[in-house]
Amino acid sequence: MEKIIRIAVQKSGRLSEDSLKLIKECGIKFYNGTGKLKSTSTNFPIEFLFLRDDDIPGYVSDGVADLGIVGENELVEKNKEVETLKKLGFSKCRLSLAIPKGEKYTGIDYFEGKNIATSYPKILGDYLQKKNINAEIHEISGSVEIAPSIGLAEGICDIVSSGSTLMMNGLKEVEEIFNSEAVLIANKELADWKKEIVDKLLFRINAVQKGKSNKYVLLNAPNESLDKIISLIPGMRSPTILPLAQKGWSSVHSVISEDQFWENIEELRTAGAEGILVVPIEKMVI
Ligand code: PRT
Ligand code: ZN
């Protein structure tokens, strides 16, 4: 049998686009026709299963899939035994408690004896228990935010991103109980040959992520300020310095984090740097 691993990704929804983008940035090619439930890469030993996100933790813990990409909220709620290999930095959101806008919020005790609608009974239950609050959890699978206005519950616990859904439904966020982003998960008992393929994939994901958080910087500087400039943009090993055609000037090339660039931009200019270019990096291996 051909040695390939299987990864479960969301078929369509808030995770799918970024999940597939990451796979593509890793140089992995595959055909993703609409309605397809399975696809095999043409240049990497991996097969894709396109599923509902709710099913991904279970498929990975059962070993039907070796890997999966899912939101931490779904992972913790489903409470399945899997290994989290990596946070992926997209589909960021929070799980929050919200109440009608007109109500006065008095702190977490507000929820004592109240009825809360949610699709996340486990995360909410654990949170309330930790806070010593007795509240009734009303589990519903969708449109949680309308529960208070139709008299189904006095508060809700749901995913919030921009906050506009809460606002449109006359609700206000009062407690943030869980922060989530997409994660790469793996079955806990992968065979060694599968681990080798997973390591290759992780190597590529790391290169893509490093590339994204770093920039290639090029600038011109008078030679007398090179020491100062090198200290501001030290680069991976050290910057590349090339002489300009104009005497007494050099071109400096370096790789630094975007944050570091913004922190040092004023000092770079004060030190005499000119013609500063900041260029994105597609992949970075160090
Ligand atoms: O069909 P399937 O079961 O696969 O998808 P789904 O409908 O269950 O999930 P989907 O695609 O909506 O979300 C997948 C994952 O994306 C979630 O599990 C979260 O990890 C993450 N995510 C990020 C979000 C949001 N942002 C988000 N805003 N999931 C849901 N929302 C919803 C939220 O439920 C609420 O209705 O968006 C609304 C709030 O958004 P704002 O911007 O108005 O605050
Ligand atoms: Zn879902």
Side-chain angles (χ1 to χ4, degrees):
M1 200 185 81
E2 207 191 342
K3 291 198 160 177
I4 63 171
I5 58 166
R6 264 191 184 166
I7 184 167
V9 293
Q10 190 190 28
K11 183 163 166 34
S12 78
R14 287 187 166 87
L15 288 159
S16 37
E17 197 180 312
D18 284 339
S19 302
L20 298 183
K21 193 168 134 235
L22 175 67
I23 307 270
K24 286 190 183 133
E25 285 169 341
C26 289
I28 297 173
K29 297 200 173 106
F30 60 96
Y31 173 68
N32 176 31
T34 37
K36 268 195 111 180
L37 300 178
K38 246 169 68 166
S39 178
T40 306
S41 168
T42 51
N43 65 350
F44 194 85
I46 197 163
E47 178 182 56
F48 300 89
L49 295 184
F50 301 106
L51 303 170
R52 285 202 57 188
D53 68 345
D54 309 57
D55 297 330
I56 293 174
Y59 272 55
V60 173
S61 82
D62 294 349
V64 174
D66 304 303
L67 297 176
I69 297 179
V70 71
E72 286 172 298
N73 52 310
E74 209 55 54
L75 179 63
V76 174
E77 182 62 31
K78 290 290 182 292
N79 201 17
K80 300 278 184 191
E81 279 283 304
V82 298
E83 194 175 343
T84 300
L85 297 181
K86 199 153 188 54
K87 292 195 185 239
L88 299 175
F90 58 83
S91 298
K92 287 189 175 172
C93 58
R94 54 197 190 271
L95 192 61
S96 291
L97 283 162
I99 61 170
K101 214 167 44 197
E103 295 284 315
K104 187 168 180 306
Y105 186 63
T106 48
I108 190 70
D109 290 345
Y110 176 92
F111 290 100
E112 184 67 35
K114 295 244 179 9
N115 199 323
I116 310 170
T118 189
S119 311
Y120 296 90
K122 178 181 153 40
I123 299 180
L124 177 59
D126 290 352
Y127 178 80
L128 292 173
Q129 194 179 20
K130 205 175 75 199
K131 298 277 177 187
N132 268 320
I133 301 291
N134 287 301
E136 195 163 324
I137 298 177
H138 196 101
E139 184 179 350
I140 47 179
S141 59
S143 305
V144 173
E145 54 279 344
I146 62 161
S149 66
I150 59 171
L152 194 66
E154 291 150 296
I156 67 160
C157 169
D158 199 13
I159 300 283
V160 182
S161 163
S162 66
S164 65
T165 304
L166 290 183
M167 213 167 72
M168 279 188 314
N169 286 281
L171 299 169
K172 63 178 175 188
E173 190 177 358
V174 291
E175 300 283 346
E176 213 177 284
I177 72 178
F178 189 88
N179 279 295
S180 177
E181 66 185 85
V183 284
L184 179 70
I185 56 172
N187 178 271
K188 284 202 148 171
E189 281 137 30
L190 289 183
D192 285 345
W193 68 265
K194 287 188 177 179
K195 281 190 190 149
E196 277 174 33
I197 301 175
V198 172
D199 283 345
K200 279 188 189 151
L201 177 65
L202 276 173
F203 178 82
R204 293 190 188 193
I205 293 176
N206 286 334
V208 170
Q209 287 190 336
K210 283 230 173 59
K212 276 195 183 141
S213 58
N214 287 279
K215 299 284 176 215
Y216 192 73
V217 178
L218 305 93
L219 57 83
N220 295 331
N223 288 345
E224 60 270 19
S225 53
L226 285 178
D227 286 347
K228 172 73 182 166
I229 286 175
I230 291 169
S231 74
L232 292 169
I233 49 169
M236 289 202 277
R237 187 178 293 276
S238 72
T240 307
I241 313 277
L242 302 165
L244 287 190
Q246 184 180 347
K247 229 172 165 273
W249 281 74
S250 296
S251 169
V252 182
H253 300 197
S254 189
V255 171
I256 58 171
S257 76
E258 184 154 22
D259 294 346
Q260 197 183 9
F261 172 75
W262 288 117
E263 272 165 31
N264 290 342
I265 178 75
E266 289 311 325
E267 275 192 84
L268 282 172
R269 289 171 50 129
T270 314
E274 282 180 8
I276 305 172
L277 298 180
V278 180
V279 183
I281 297 171
E282 196 176 282
K283 269 132 206 147
M284 184 166 152
V285 178
I286 47 175

